[in-house]
Amino acid sequence: MLLALRDADSDPANFPSDAFMDEPDPATYKQARLSPNWRQWHKAIQSEIDGILQPDRADPVTAFPPGSTVLPSKFVFKLKKLTDGSLDKFKARCTTRGDMDRTFYEEAETFAPTPQLTTFRLLLALCLKHRLMPYHYDVSQAFLQALIPEDERYYVRFPKGYIHPKGYVGAYMKKALYGHRTSGRLWSETAHRFMTDRYPTLSRSTYDECLYIGWIDTQLFIVLIYVDDFIVACADELSRARFHTDIMSTFQATYSGVLNQFLQLRVDVQTETLPTGESYPTRIELSHERSITDLCAKFSIDTDKQPPRSPMAEGLSLPIPPPDAIDRSIETPLRSLIYSLLWLARTVRPDIYYHVTYLAQFCHQPTVEALTAAKRILHYAYSTREYTLGMTIDSTAPQLTAFCDSDHAGDTATRNSVSGYCLYFHGMLIDWWSKKQKSCTALHSTEAEYVAMSEACTSALAIYNTLTEFFPSAEPITINVDNSAVQTLVTQRALSSKLKHIAVRYHAVRNWCQGPLRKFTPVWIPTDDNQSDIFTKALPITKHGVPIIDKFTARLLDIKDRRVKLVEKLRAAEAQKLHAQQQQLQQQQRQDQIVLASLQRQNLIG
């Protein structure tokens, strides 16, 4: 049967069943034809081609006009799964080689905005604060619903090996196709026109162009657009029903109900129901459990071995490798692993962020030691895969609370300091990062803390401006530092002569912390209470271990239920074991007393 497939585009009915076999995604059309899942892939291919050849999207052609520019195309295959690992669908995307289009495009004509992950977490936090329910819509073949200007249209040749039943060899595109440089911009403009035409009361954020916030009939309404995903947050069912009608009548979209999956993230929305029958979220948890399990299988991590108790050994410092120590054979696996871990760390696992960014500097000069350290992080992530980024509203907490810290000369190779930062919105973690201070080399710890605070204020100010754009508030941001000298420096009017050599850009923090219109209130806290310490160095096991849950990890991930219960269970097991040992010891002591008493009686009788 495989030989027949190699010779012709055989009818998929020749395959005996639709049985699903879990296998790597095919890289080419030929591999898809030889796959045991060819029947399903064939259906996905036909669905994609039928969608392209709709009359309002493209004109099929049997031959290309002489002298015309024809762009090649290929299929990208993806077996999509749900967060629980079950099959979602077989997806075949036809993409074109947009880089071969010789038409000149300026950068402004190809730019397409995408929201930051911080904006996504801020949206979820706003849902909890304002009791909004998040819903998910997915636009099918989104780019194919964006009209191409007549002077920018192009011909596309069908992928190599594919034979259309009607003999078509390609199409003249009227609407955008995936892979072309202008397709993202055209779809972004189409989605924006949809929002402005249908919902003029919503305003587009100037700090994140994919975020729309406004009021519909006095009810707060928020929309976040991530390419073809629409996340809608509202409390009024009538408003959601209106949006449902509008998007379904404008685009070919799929409604997934309450948000439960986004960018391979599992979203668990816990709700309560009002007497009126309406529900509102009380807690939202984000996790990557299935992705971590898949990564362990991909990189051959032996999960049966004893897991490490921390992501990285305390004080680990890998030297810059000499040329003879660089192993180019592991460059691709190391890059793939680091990029995968970066995605985990940036989305839901802030507890491994510093460790991954530290190893990222070895991607271009790979060593066995760096790969071993990266695998240790993945093994640790697997052993703690039940960790979730929990979000629960704390009405007593300030609107925005930031923590910043630095590790003076923490990078032993370059002697650069490391800055760490995290930001909370009403007690919910929404932003964090860890990075080296490359623009300057701090001469002392106060200078490193000063630079870290300036960088942290810059990041927090972007979130502050986004909020005040729609929710005016005069409440300044509380920024916590564990260096009292820095607190004094940013609040006093005179600039110390010891800091005049620092770049001017870092002194903006003094203006933000002074005057009647100040945006930050610096507060000194002990080092043990600084949540950002975990972003500056590898903490010891006593602070960052399993099953010992340190205050940093527990606070960052809001581990109050699931993990605490696990720790309590482990402690109860240890207490039970200790109790059994004590009982065994007491029983042994009673037996010894009985034997001793028996010997004493025998001596008395004798």
Side-chain angles (χ1 to χ4, degrees):
M1 184 177 295
L2 295 182
L3 292 176
L5 282 175
R6 294 190 183 99
D7 296 335
D9 193 3
S10 300
D11 186 352
N14 293 334
F15 276 85
S17 67
D18 278 338
F20 158 64
M21 287 189 66
D22 197 356
E23 61 169 357
D25 297 330
T28 62
Y29 178 76
K30 182 178 180 180
Q31 291 183 11
R33 289 173 57 186
L34 299 177
S35 168
N37 299 318
W38 166 240
R39 180 188 291 269
Q40 292 90 334
W41 289 126
H42 186 271
K43 291 180 180 179
I45 290 171
Q46 285 302 121
S47 177
E48 177 73 6
I49 295 298
D50 292 344
I52 293 175
L53 295 182
Q54 291 185 15
D56 62 330
R57 296 179 177 180
D59 293 332
V61 296
T62 56
F64 298 105
S68 60
T69 301
V70 182
L71 303 181
S73 64
K74 65 170 292 186
F75 287 117
V76 177
F77 300 96
K78 182 65 177 178
L79 196 155
K80 304 195 71 174
K81 297 181 181 179
L82 300 175
T83 54
D84 59 0
S86 60
L87 175 65
D88 182 13
K89 61 181 177 181
F90 288 78
K91 190 171 184 178
R93 178 72 70 199
C94 183
T95 63
T96 184
R97 287 285 305 275
D99 59 304
M100 298 185 67
D101 189 352
R102 302 306 180 187
T103 306
F104 175 75
Y105 297 102
E106 295 183 357
E107 183 179 358
E109 295 178 337
T110 59
F111 173 75
T114 54
Q116 301 179 11
L117 291 171
T118 302
T119 307
F120 169 66
R121 290 188 290 264
L122 178 61
L123 168 66
L124 298 182
L126 290 173
C127 288
L128 292 169
K129 176 177 173 55
H130 297 281
R131 292 189 171 186
L132 309 178
M133 188 65 71
Y135 301 96
H136 184 208
Y137 290 86
D138 182 13
V139 179
S140 303
Q141 297 180 320
F143 286 9
L144 284 167
Q145 304 187 50
L147 187 66
I148 304 176
E150 292 188 3
D151 58 341
E152 297 182 10
R153 296 179 180 179
Y154 45 85
Y155 288 92
V156 171
R157 187 188 305 275
F158 286 148
K160 182 180 179 180
Y162 174 76
I163 301 177
H164 194 275
K166 295 184 178 180
Y168 299 140
V169 296
Y172 178 68
M173 301 305 302
K174 301 177 183 177
K175 293 191 175 180
L177 189 63
Y178 286 86
H180 198 272
R181 287 182 292 177
T182 62
S183 297
R185 172 185 60 86
L186 294 173
W187 164 245
S188 176
E189 294 174 351
T190 301
H192 178 62
R193 284 195 299 270
F194 165 76
M195 294 300 303
T196 54
D197 294 344
R198 298 298 182 95
Y199 299 94
T201 58
L202 300 186
S203 300
R204 189 182 197 180
S205 173
T206 56
Y207 298 94
D208 196 323
E209 296 183 355
C210 300
L211 180 65
Y212 297 82
I213 301 180
W215 281 260
I216 299 179
D217 298 332
T218 70
Q219 296 291 331
L220 181 61
F221 198 87
I222 306 176
V223 177
L224 181 67
I225 304 176
Y226 196 103
V227 189
D228 57 353
D229 292 306
F230 284 69
I231 300 178
V232 181
C234 60
D236 185 12
E237 178 61 25
L238 294 178
S239 300
R240 189 207 63 80
R242 174 189 168 186
F243 184 87
H244 181 91
T245 303
D246 291 340
I247 193 171
M248 290 297 184
S249 60
T250 307
F251 306 119
Q252 295 181 3
T254 304
Y255 174 57
S256 302
V258 177
L259 181 66
N260 59 14
Q261 181 175 344
F262 181 70
L263 298 177
Q264 297 182 351
L265 285 171
R266 178 179 177 181
V267 184
D268 183 14
V269 181
Q270 302 175 13
T271 63
E272 288 187 5
T273 304
L274 297 173
T276 58
E278 297 181 350
S279 300
Y280 66 93
T282 57
R283 178 178 172 84
I284 298 177
E285 294 183 351
L286 306 177
S287 63
H288 251 317
E289 187 171 348
R290 186 184 67 83
S291 298
I292 294 174
T293 304
D294 293 343
L295 286 175
C296 287
K298 177 181 178 180
F299 293 100
S300 303
I301 302 298
D302 188 359
T303 56
D304 294 331
K305 289 185 177 180
Q306 179 70 22
R309 299 183 64 190
S310 63
M312 183 180 291
E314 181 185 6
L316 177 66
S317 178
L318 299 179
I320 298 177
D324 57 344
I326 297 177
D327 187 357
R328 293 298 176 186
S329 64
I330 63 173
E331 181 174 5
T332 299
L334 179 61
R335 285 181 180 271
S336 178
L337 177 55
I338 291 295
Y339 295 162
S340 300
L341 290 174
L342 276 174
W343 176 248
L344 294 177
R346 197 66 188 94
T347 50
V348 298
R349 293 300 300 266
D351 56 323
I352 64 173
Y353 193 90
Y354 163 78
H355 315 86
V356 180
T357 54
Y358 173 76
L359 294 179
Q361 61 185 330
F362 296 96
C363 286
H364 69 288
Q365 44 190 8
T367 61
V368 176
E369 292 78 9
L371 181 60
T372 303
K375 288 187 175 182
R376 169 178 172 146
I377 297 176
L378 180 56
H379 196 182
Y380 168 81
Y382 178 82
S383 66
T384 58
R385 61 190 181 280
E386 71 278 0
Y387 280 5
T388 62
L389 183 64
M391 306 179 73
T392 306
I393 186 71
D394 184 0
S395 56
T396 61
Q399 177 177 333
L400 289 174
T401 305
F403 293 83
C404 65
D405 195 13
S406 71
D407 184 22
H408 180 232
D411 191 330
T412 57
T414 62
R415 308 313 299 176
N416 288 115
S417 302
V418 180
S419 299
Y421 147 87
C422 57
L423 180 68
Y424 293 88
F425 176 78
H426 286 292
M428 296 174 285
L429 182 65
I430 60 174
D431 192 22
W432 61 86
W433 50 248
S434 171
K435 56 185 177 182
K436 286 195 296 185
Q437 299 177 2
K438 294 183 178 181
S439 59
C440 65
T441 300
L443 303 180
H444 45 81
S445 60
T446 301
E447 183 178 331
E449 296 277 358
Y450 186 81
V451 173
M453 185 175 182
S454 178
E455 294 175 337
C457 289
T458 302
S459 298
L461 196 59
I463 307 300
Y464 177 83
N465 292 335
T466 302
L467 289 172
T468 55
E469 185 178 11
F470 302 102
F471 310 99
S473 173
E475 181 181 357
I477 305 172
T478 302
I479 184 162
N480 299 278
V481 294
D482 56 10
N483 189 303
S484 58
V486 172
Q487 182 188 13
T488 304
L489 287 172
V490 299
T491 54
Q492 69 180 6
R493 300 187 63 180
L495 180 63
S496 173
S497 60
K498 295 182 179 180
L499 297 177
K500 288 186 177 180
H501 66 282
I502 299 179
V504 176
R505 61 187 296 262
Y506 295 117
H507 295 307
V509 65
R510 302 179 68 252
N511 296 328
W512 296 333
C513 296
Q514 299 179 17
L517 300 179
R518 70 180 188 275
K519 295 181 174 60
F520 293 91
T521 301
V523 177
W524 178 86
I525 57 173
T527 301
D528 290 341
D529 294 335
N530 195 342
Q531 306 296 336
S532 59
D533 190 31
I534 199 173
F535 299 107
T536 61
K537 63 181 75 70
L539 299 179
I541 293 178
T542 55
K543 287 188 175 182
H544 199 160
V546 179
I548 302 173
I549 304 301
D550 65 286
K551 65 178 69 177
F552 302 105
T553 306
R555 183 70 177 89
L556 286 172
L557 299 180
D558 194 17
I559 303 172
K560 298 178 180 178
D561 298 322
R562 182 180 306 179
R563 192 59 189 175
V564 170
K565 290 180 180 179
L566 178 59
V567 174
E568 293 176 352
K569 182 179 179 180
L570 292 173
R571 290 176 178 173
E574 293 178 357
Q576 185 177 2
K577 182 179 179 180
L578 180 61
H579 180 66
Q581 292 176 350
Q582 291 176 349
Q583 286 185 336
Q584 185 178 2
L585 180 61
Q586 293 175 359
Q587 184 178 1
Q588 184 66 34
Q589 291 176 350
R590 287 195 296 268
Q591 291 179 356
D592 293 343
Q593 292 175 358
I594 293 173
V595 172
L596 180 60
S598 177
L599 292 175
Q600 290 176 350
R601 284 196 301 270
Q602 290 178 4
N603 291 334
L604 291 175
I605 294 174

